[in-house]
């Protein structure tokens, strides 16, 4: 299971690294729908709590959730996404 998650995360990292053109990911867009919303923060928190694993995790763009660039997916990332979507901050640290 962890192997598949690493592959999915590696794919997201590759897409983030080449963030120009079609298929590029947006920092904070954890569910890969093309926009950043409170749903992305919720999905990130569910993943962090262990509620999303296996095939469901493979469909996520988890690397897009590391919005503070510390190399970890934590509730801090979710809080930053929520601050962005509520207008408290104008951009994410990695935007």
């Amino acid at each position: 299971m962890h192997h598949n998650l690493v592959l999915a995360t590696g794919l997201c990292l590759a897409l983030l690294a080449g963030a120009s053109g079609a298929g590029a990911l947006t920092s904070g867009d954890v569910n890969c729908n093309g926009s950043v919303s409170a749903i992305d923060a919720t999905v990130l928190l569910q993943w962090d709590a262990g509620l999303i694993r296996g095939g469901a995790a493979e469909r996520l763009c988890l690397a897009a959730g590391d919005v503070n660039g510390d190399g970890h997916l934590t509730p801090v990332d979710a809080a930053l996404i929520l601050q962005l979507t509520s207008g408290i901050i104008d951009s994410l640290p990695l935007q």
Side-chain angles (χ1 to χ4, degrees):
M1 177 169 64
H2 293 296
H3 179 67
N4 290 337
L5 182 58
V6 169
L7 288 176
T9 303
L11 174 61
C12 290
L13 283 172
L15 289 171
L16 279 171
S20 61
L25 296 178
T26 301
S27 181
D29 183 17
V30 178
N31 65 358
C32 306
N33 71 346
S35 65
V36 179
S37 70
I39 293 171
D40 295 297
T42 302
V43 169
L44 183 63
L45 289 170
Q46 289 175 340
W47 182 86
D48 184 60
L51 300 175
I52 299 175
R53 292 288 186 252
E58 291 174 11
R59 292 186 294 276
L60 299 176
C61 296
L62 294 172
D66 181 20
V67 298
N68 65 357
D70 69 354
H72 303 282
L73 298 175
T74 68
V76 171
D77 297 301
L80 287 166
I81 292 169
L82 289 172
Q83 288 175 15
L84 175 73
T85 60
S86 65
I88 294 172
I89 58 176
D90 294 327
S91 64
L92 295 168
L94 291 183
Q95 282 185 325

